[in-house]
Every structure is written in structure tokens, then in C-alpha cells.
């Protein structure tokens, strides 16, 4: 019986809730953005957090069983949800005020005033914005396909970028991840065509196995001939050092620029990498941290 329940859960799409302002930007039942950036590792979550200004969440992605929980979600490390933020595609600034969270200065998210994505309608597109998704807890690989499918049912992006990590024991390349920072890309055919000769990020060596959201996003986009890139960092230690975070920042900037986005660039990248390294070192933990 338990195995049957797990199988059913693996095929269920996530529950996605938006705040009242974001939901008005839907067109044809979808939020249209330039970039969809999904951070799935502690390093990428911390880096994006420090690159983009603090703001209230535009929405949350929850597993079906979590959506039956309490009505108020208070941001904390205990929340097993993925928070989403809308930023201007060129400046990284919040794309719009969050009316929901400006009420009475509250920072909580009340599901009673959220609108389900499938029923949301809108008057304006968000073509000049990017949607950042922070996955602060690991997702089981067998649930990644339905998670990605559910999100991309309601988000239309010109390009999808997944920032992920790969354990050193799953790496099959010639270099030593304990000696140097290593990041690689996996791209769909459409993304390769778009980025030809525009960045110098090496491809993931053959034989290296990626799973989870990175693999699911590439698979989903490839079948639909859409542009998607997975930027994979090889993890050889509990917390990444400054060199690894700096390389992650620079490569993320290159991929985004390749696809016409500029919200991560310049001196802010190095500063963000330093802040992220300090935060992760002081945490002294392998767990995913609230962003």
C-alpha cells in the first residue's frame, strides 16, 4: 500500500499559488517571462539571494501533500516549499510592488487570498521580467518530472536555466573537483543553437549522471524543442569556497547574457559571491538554507 501511495505522489503535479498582484499578469492562463531561473542547490540559492534585492515572494510551489497544511506560510527554514520572485530582466529590481504583503506590513503569505494559477487571468505580460524559483529543500528524483511539468504548465519562458549541483562521486571528467572549481553546462538543442560561440562554459563530460530537477527540465524542454540550460557545479566539499561561488556567478551571468538577460552582472557578482561564501561558511551545515 505504501509503495502505491508513493507512486501516486510521484505523478501528482505541485500546487502553485500566486499573490494577488502577480496573478493579474497572466495571459491565457500563463505567466509569460523572459527567463525562468530555478536554483536547486544551497550555493545557487545563496548566490541569487545576494545578487537580487530583498523582496516579498510572488508565489510558492508546494508538493500536493503540503498544500493541505496550515493557511499561513511564514518564511523559515522549516517551510518545505519553493518561493518565487519576479525581477526586472535587466536590472534585477523587483518587477512590481507586492500588494498582498504590503497590507499592514505583514510578511506572511495567506493562501486564502492567493489565486490558483490555473484559474488566474491577466491583462499584461511580463516579457521584461524573469522569474526566480528558490528550491530550499531537496526534491526526490522521482517527483522532479511532475514538478517541472506542473510549473511549466503555468509559466511560459523564453529560456529555462536550472542551477544545480553534482556529487563528486557522480562526476566522470578528467579534472579533480577537490583541486579546482568545476562547473559545466547541459543544454537542449535549441539552447545550443541560441548560445553558439557566445559563452565558453564547457559541457558536462560524458558519463556524469545528473538527476532531479536539472535532468527533468532538460528532458521536458528537449521534447518540446525549447531552450533550456542546466548549469552544474561539482561538489567536492560540504560548503563551496569563494572560487567556486565566483565561477558559478560568472557562468550564470554568461548564460543569462547569451539569452538576452542582464540582471546579474558587474561588480555586484563578486560582492554577491563573497556574501554567499560568508553565509554558507558560518552556517556550517549541509542542509538547505532559507533564502
Amino acid at each position: 500500500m505504501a509503495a502505491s501511495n508513493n507512486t501516486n505522489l510521484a505523478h501528482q503535479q505541485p500546487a502553485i499559488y500566486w499573490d494577488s498582484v502577480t496573478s493579474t499578469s497572466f495571459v491565457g492562463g500563463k505567466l509569460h517571462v523572459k527567463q525562468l531561473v530555478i536554483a536547486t542547490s544551497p550555493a545557487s540559492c545563496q548566490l541569487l539571494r545576494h545578487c537580487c534585492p530583498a523582496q516579498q515572494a510572488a508565489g510558492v510551489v508546494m508538493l500536493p501533500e503540503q498544500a493541505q497544511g496550515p493557511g499561513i506560510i511564514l518564511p523559515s527554514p522549516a517551510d518545505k516549499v519553493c518561493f518565487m520572485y519576479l525581477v526586472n530582466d535587466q536590472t534585477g529590481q523587483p518587477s512590481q510592488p507586492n500588494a498582498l504583503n504590503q497590507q499592514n506590513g505583514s510578511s506572511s503569505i495567506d493562501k486564502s487570498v492567493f489565486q490558483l494559477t490555473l484559474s488566474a487571468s491577466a491583462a499584461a505580460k511580463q516579457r521584461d521580467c524573469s522569474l526566480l524559483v528558490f528550491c530550499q529543500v531537496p526534491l526526490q528524483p522521482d517527483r522532479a518530472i511532475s514538478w517541472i511539468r506542473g510549473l511549466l504548465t503555468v509559466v511560459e519562458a523564453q529560456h529555462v536555466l536550472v542551477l544545480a549541483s553534482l556529487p563528486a562521486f557522480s562526476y566522470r571528467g578528467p579534472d579533480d573537483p577537490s583541486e579546482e572549481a568545476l562547473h559545466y553546462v547541459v543544454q537542449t538543442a535549441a539552447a545550443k543553437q541560441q548560445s553558439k560561440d557566445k559563452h565558453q562554459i564547457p559541457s558536462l563530460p560524458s558519463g556524469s549522471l545528473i538527476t532531479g530537477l536539472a535532468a527533468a527540465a532538460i528532458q521536458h524542454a528537449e521534447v518540446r524543442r525549447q531552450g533550456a540550460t542546466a548549469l552544474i557545479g561539482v561538489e567536492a566539499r560540504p560548503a563551496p569556497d569563494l572560487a567556486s561561488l565566483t565561477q558559478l556567478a560568472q557562468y550564470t551571468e554568461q548564460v543569462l547574457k547569451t539569452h538576452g538577460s542582464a540582471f546579474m552582472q558587474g561588480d555586484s557578482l563578486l560582492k554577491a559571491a563573497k556574501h554567499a561564501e560568508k553565509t554558507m561558511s558560518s552556517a556550517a551545515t549541509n542542509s538547505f538554507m532559507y533564502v
Side-chain angles (χ1 to χ4, degrees), residues 21-33:
V21 174
T22 304
S23 64
T24 63
S25 299
F26 278 65
V27 174
K30 289 189 176 185
L31 180 68
H32 294 257
V33 296

Side-chain angles (χ1 to χ4, degrees), residues 122-202:
K125 295 182 180 181
Q126 294 289 344
R127 294 290 187 184
D128 60 341
C129 296
S130 287
L131 182 67
L132 312 183
V133 184
F134 293 82
C135 298
Q136 63 183 41
V137 291
L139 183 70
Q140 292 298 321
D142 63 343
R143 307 192 71 171
I145 289 291
S146 58
W147 194 98
I148 284 290
R149 185 182 295 119
L151 182 61
L152 295 183
T153 295
V154 293
V155 177
E156 184 75 29
Q158 297 178 26
H159 176 258
V160 178
L161 170 61
V162 181
L163 305 176
S165 59
L166 178 73
F169 62 78
S170 296
Y171 173 67
R172 297 293 182 267
D175 301 307
D176 185 353
S178 67
E179 296 293 331
E180 59 180 318
L182 297 176
H183 287 86
Y184 301 94
V185 292
V186 178
Q187 299 174 286
T188 62
K192 288 180 180 179
Q193 185 64 32
Q194 295 166 0
S195 63
K196 188 176 182 180
D197 300 326
K198 292 184 179 179
H199 68 64
Q200 302 302 316
I201 309 173

Side-chain angles (χ1 to χ4, degrees), residues 14-153:
I16 306 175
Y17 298 89
W18 305 94
D19 78 335
S20 55
V21 174
T22 304
S23 64
T24 63
S25 299
F26 278 65
V27 174
K30 289 189 176 185
L31 180 68
H32 294 257
V33 296
K34 192 165 189 177
Q35 297 275 351
L36 170 60
V37 182
I38 306 174
T40 70
S41 64
S44 59
C45 284
Q46 286 296 325
L47 181 66
L48 287 184
R49 170 181 176 245
H50 289 291
C51 277
C52 300
Q55 57 177 302
Q56 299 297 340
V60 292
V61 184
M62 310 171 70
L63 295 177
E65 61 271 26
Q66 297 166 337
Q68 306 302 317
I72 300 294
I73 303 169
L74 296 175
S76 76
D79 288 335
K80 308 300 184 183
V81 301
C82 302
F83 288 91
M84 299 184 289
Y85 302 85
L86 272 173
V87 298
N88 183 282
D89 191 66
Q90 299 302 311
T91 67
Q93 296 297 313
S95 66
Q96 58 192 23
N98 187 310
L100 170 65
N101 290 303
Q102 286 181 345
Q103 296 174 4
N104 302 321
S106 172
S107 62
S108 64
I109 300 175
D110 189 339
K111 282 196 283 186
S112 67
V113 295
F114 269 42
Q115 297 183 20
L116 282 172
T117 55
L118 293 179
S119 63
S121 59
K125 295 182 180 181
Q126 294 289 344
R127 294 290 187 184
D128 60 341
C129 296
S130 287
L131 182 67
L132 312 183
V133 184
F134 293 82
C135 298
Q136 63 183 41
V137 291
L139 183 70
Q140 292 298 321
D142 63 343
R143 307 192 71 171
I145 289 291
S146 58
W147 194 98
I148 284 290
R149 185 182 295 119
L151 182 61
L152 295 183
T153 295

